[in-house]
Structures are given as C-alpha cells and as structure tokens.
C-alpha cells in the first residue's frame, strides 16, 4: 500500500553565525537526511532526547520550516520545492498540534471565536455551516458546546488539548503531527487524551506522527516508532519490538533511562541533553556515548539496514561483531540513510 506521507533524505540546516575574521560559519544540521514513511491510519512515534531535531522535522514536514534538501510527498504528490511563504498551500492535509495547546490559542479570543476563525481561514464562509461543524466536533472530542463562550485561561490542560484537537480535526486533515500531546498532563488525563486520539483516528481516518519524550506513550498507542539522534533516524521498529528487542545502543540507553516507580533509573547512565550536530565528523554521531564503539565507528557513518521488522543504523549490528547483533542481515537489505 502506498504511504500517505513519505519523506526522503530530508535536510534542515540552520545557518551558523558568521564571526569576524573567522570563516566560513558552520551551519547546524538539525535534520540530517531523514527517510520516513507513514501508512494511512498508522501512528508513528518519533522519540529522542531534547535537541535531537524532532520539532524541526515536524515543522519541515508541515511546511513551516524551509527544508535544505530532500523531498516530501503527500499521497504520492511531491510538496517540496516551494518557497517557505507558499509551502503550507499544498500541505493543508497535514495539521500540527502544538505542544502547548494553550499557547496556540489567542488569550483574547473565546474558544468559539478561535474555532470560527480557523474555519473562515479555510474558506467556510457560511456561519450556520461553521456553527454546525464546530458543535459536531466539540461533541466528538467530548466537550459541551457551552465551552465556546469560555476563554483559554478558563480551561484545564486536558480541556485545552481537546479544543486544540477539535480545531485541527475540523479542518479535515489526513495527517496530524502531535508534538508532545501528553506533556504537562497528569496520568488520568493523559489516558483520556490518548483514548481520544485513538477514537478520532478511526472516526476521521487520520494518521499520526506522534512526537514524544515519553516512551510509555509510544508503548500504549504507536504502531511503529522512529528513534532520532542528532538529526538522524537511528532505528525504526514496530513499537512492540522496540521495547521487547531494542537494537541500537542509543535506543537501549533511552529505554534504560525510563525512571522506575521508586524514581530511580533502571540504569546508572545519566541521560543528558545533547547539543546540535555542528559539523558532525565522518563517523557515527553516537560513538562518544556508545559502549560498543570500535574503529569502524570513527571511520564511517552507519547506514540504516533492515533488521527484523525494521531498520537500524549501527556498525555493531554487523553479523559476528557483538552479541547484540546476533541477527542475520541479508546484504541486499541495505537501506541508505540519506
Ligand atoms: N530556528 C532555529 N534556529 C537555529 N537553531 C535551531 C532553531 N530551531 C531549532 N534549532 C536547533 O536545532 C536542534 C534541534 O532542535 P529541535 O527543537 O528540533 O529539537 P527537539 O528534538 O524538538 O527537542 P525538544 O525535545 O527539546 O523539543 C537544536 O540543536 C536546536 O537548538
Ligand atoms: Mg521539540
């Protein structure tokens, strides 16, 4: 089946600051050759530490951030190549749920006003039609129509997420990029939001890219998960397999850093925020933190290879190198990592 969204060799480089007498200024490769596909109806989790490029990837997919290279196709039609001012035009089928649902709403506008405005911008001129669509959508996200008279500061975090979802789904997208949809919510509200996301997916034929720090969210709702490290995808697996058999040393580090119930980490390895991929050298970007690093990791960058149901970019995945990699890789199953 053709993917609803496909991303090939996507690059986003932020220009570096030029210093007097020093040249040239080095750019920051925030997204460094990402390949991804999203099937219709799929929920693809994107995980990785702070600064790994998740939001930049999302913004580039949405057409909010100019890509420096690569291509994005929606429903088989290429949408890349337009200047950033026009990039959103072909990408209305992709909508974005901001991490901070409250901040994405104007504090001076009532909820009803904000929902009407979104429909007006999308060409629904008839007021009665808008009212009908808004009421139906508020019902679909489990909110009473009276919420329209209220202002963002009068709503709880969970209610704000519901309003943000109503506003997005009302626009009839095919793909929704959810940036940290459960951040800042308590456990019971998180569960409600995740159930709602699953329900809306089925009811409105949606596919999601779900960006999160929270691996338990991936385990609960995602079909597949992509792990990002310094702008690159280092592993993609079906979500269940990512937890039962994590392959990349970085995925293992992420999983081992999930706090246990008593608050202690299950590993002594601290999980630290990473800095940008400025002028990453020839080798594997993860090698300074990798327990399995060896000479080849300094020499060349690993490419994504098919392993099990997914793909992994790690030299240690080569047959015979390390017990981690007791996995047969067929030489024809090499996938180039951008
Ligand atoms: N507009 C920008 N200009 C310059 N650098 C940027 C810009 N936006 C992001 N970056 C840099 O790009 C890198 C990736 O940032 P990004 O926000 O995509 O990470 P992230 O994975 O979403 O992190 P977090 O989990 O904290 O949200 C970071 O090093 C960041 O400092
Ligand atoms: Mg982010």
């Amino acid at each position: 089946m053709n993917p609803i969204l496909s991303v090939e060799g996507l690059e986003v480089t932020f220009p570096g600051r030029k210093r007097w007498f020093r040249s040239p200024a080095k750019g920051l490769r925030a997204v460094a050759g990402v390949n991804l596909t999203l099937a219709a109806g799929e929920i693809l989790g994107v995980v990785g530490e702070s600064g790994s490029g998740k939001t930049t990837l999302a913004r580039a997919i949405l057409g909010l951030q100019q890509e420096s290279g690569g291509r994005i196709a929606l429903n088989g039609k290429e949408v890349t190549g337009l200047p950033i001012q026009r990039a959103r035009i072909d990408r209305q089928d992709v909508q974005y749920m901001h991490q901070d649902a409250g901040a994405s709403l104007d504090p001076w506008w009532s909820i009803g006003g904000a929902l009407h405005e979104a429909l007006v911008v999308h060409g629904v001129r008839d007021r009665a039609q808008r009212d009908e669509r808004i009421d139906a959508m508020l019902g679909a996200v489990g909110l009473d129509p009276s919420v329209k008279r209220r202002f963002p500061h009068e709503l709880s975090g969970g209610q704000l997420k519901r309003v943000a979802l109503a506003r997005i789904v009302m626009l009839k997208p095919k793909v929704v990029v959810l940036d940290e949809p459960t951040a800042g919510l308590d456990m019971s509200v998180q569960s409600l939001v995740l159930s709602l996301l699953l329900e809306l997916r089925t009811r409105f034929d949606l596919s999601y890219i779900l960006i999160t720090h929270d691996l338990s969210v991936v385990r609960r709702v995602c079909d597949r998960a992509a792990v990002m490290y310094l702008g690159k995808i280092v592993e993609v697996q079906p979500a269940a397999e990512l937890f039962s058999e994590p392959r990349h040393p970085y995925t293992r580090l992420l999983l081992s850093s999930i706090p246990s119930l008593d608050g202690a980490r299950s590993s002594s390895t601290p999980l630290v925020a990473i800095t940008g991929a400025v002028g990453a050298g020839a080798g594997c970007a993860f090698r300074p933190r990798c327990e399995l690093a060896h000479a080849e990791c300094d020499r060349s960058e690993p490419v994504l290879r098919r392993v099990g149901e997914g793909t992994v970019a790690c030299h240690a995945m080569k047959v015979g190198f390390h017990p981690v990699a007791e996995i047969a890789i067929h030489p024809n199953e090499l996938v180039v990592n951008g």
Side-chain angles (χ1 to χ4, degrees), residues 202-222:
T202 314
R203 191 157 164 197
F204 297 98
D205 294 327
L206 301 171
S207 313
Y208 298 135
I209 294 182
L210 194 160
I211 295 170
T212 183
H213 283 100
D214 188 344
L215 287 159
S216 72
V217 171
V218 174
R219 199 202 293 258
R220 280 148 80 190
V221 298
C222 292

Side-chain angles (χ1 to χ4, degrees), residues 217-249:
V217 171
V218 174
R219 199 202 293 258
R220 280 148 80 190
V221 298
C222 292
D223 302 304
R224 279 189 310 146
V227 180
M228 263 189 107
Y229 187 74
L230 283 179
K232 291 179 197 294
I233 305 267
V234 295
E235 176 162 2
V236 184
Q237 296 290 350
E241 207 166 324
L242 193 86
F243 290 93
S244 62
E245 231 178 316
R247 323 264 186 167
H248 195 284

Side-chain angles (χ1 to χ4, degrees), residues 143-336:
L143 288 172
D144 190 87
S146 63
V147 83
K148 288 188 289 186
R149 290 192 298 276
R150 292 162 73 178
F151 287 83
H153 71 271
E154 297 172 333
L155 300 182
S156 70
Q159 287 169 328
L160 284 171
K161 291 272 184 206
R162 284 172 194 270
V163 169
L165 272 169
R167 186 163 68 159
I168 289 165
V169 178
M170 203 171 63
L171 305 176
K172 302 185 176 165
K174 295 200 165 64
V175 176
V176 182
V177 181
L178 305 154
D179 203 346
E180 302 282 359
T182 56
L185 302 176
D186 69 41
M187 287 305 281
S188 62
V189 181
Q190 279 189 18
S191 296
L192 289 174
V193 168
L194 292 179
S195 311
L196 180 62
L197 287 174
L198 292 173
E199 198 183 310
L200 294 174
R201 167 178 69 158
T202 314
R203 191 157 164 197
F204 297 98
D205 294 327
L206 301 171
S207 313
Y208 298 135
I209 294 182
L210 194 160
I211 295 170
T212 183
H213 283 100
D214 188 344
L215 287 159
S216 72
V217 171
V218 174
R219 199 202 293 258
R220 280 148 80 190
V221 298
C222 292
D223 302 304
R224 279 189 310 146
V227 180
M228 263 189 107
Y229 187 74
L230 283 179
K232 291 179 197 294
I233 305 267
V234 295
E235 176 162 2
V236 184
Q237 296 290 350
E241 207 166 324
L242 193 86
F243 290 93
S244 62
E245 231 178 316
R247 323 264 186 167
H248 195 284
Y250 176 59
T251 311
R252 290 162 176 252
L253 177 64
L254 275 183
L255 290 178
S256 71
S257 66
I258 298 175
S260 60
L261 272 182
D262 62 8
R265 289 188 194 284
S266 50
S267 147
S268 56
T269 319
L271 197 61
V272 293
I274 48 178
T275 50
V278 181
C284 172
F286 188 60
R287 68 193 184 282
R289 297 168 74 185
C290 184
E291 292 170 348
L292 307 177
H294 62 297
E296 196 175 347
C297 309
D298 286 329
R299 279 196 300 270
S300 66
E301 193 188 320
V303 293
L304 283 170
R305 293 163 189 272
R306 212 169 298 283
V307 178
E309 294 281 298
T311 51
V312 183
C314 175
H315 288 310
M317 289 290 117
K318 283 189 182 152
V319 181
F321 171 72
H322 190 274
V324 169
E326 286 172 354
I327 307 147
I329 301 166
H330 192 275
N332 293 341
E333 290 182 328
L334 199 71
V335 181
V336 177

Side-chain angles (χ1 to χ4, degrees), residues 49-51 53-56 96 99 179-180 211 213:
E49 283 162 292
S50 192
K54 304 180 298 294
T55 296
T56 308
Y96 184 54
Q99 174 172 342
D179 203 346
E180 302 282 359
I211 295 170
H213 283 100

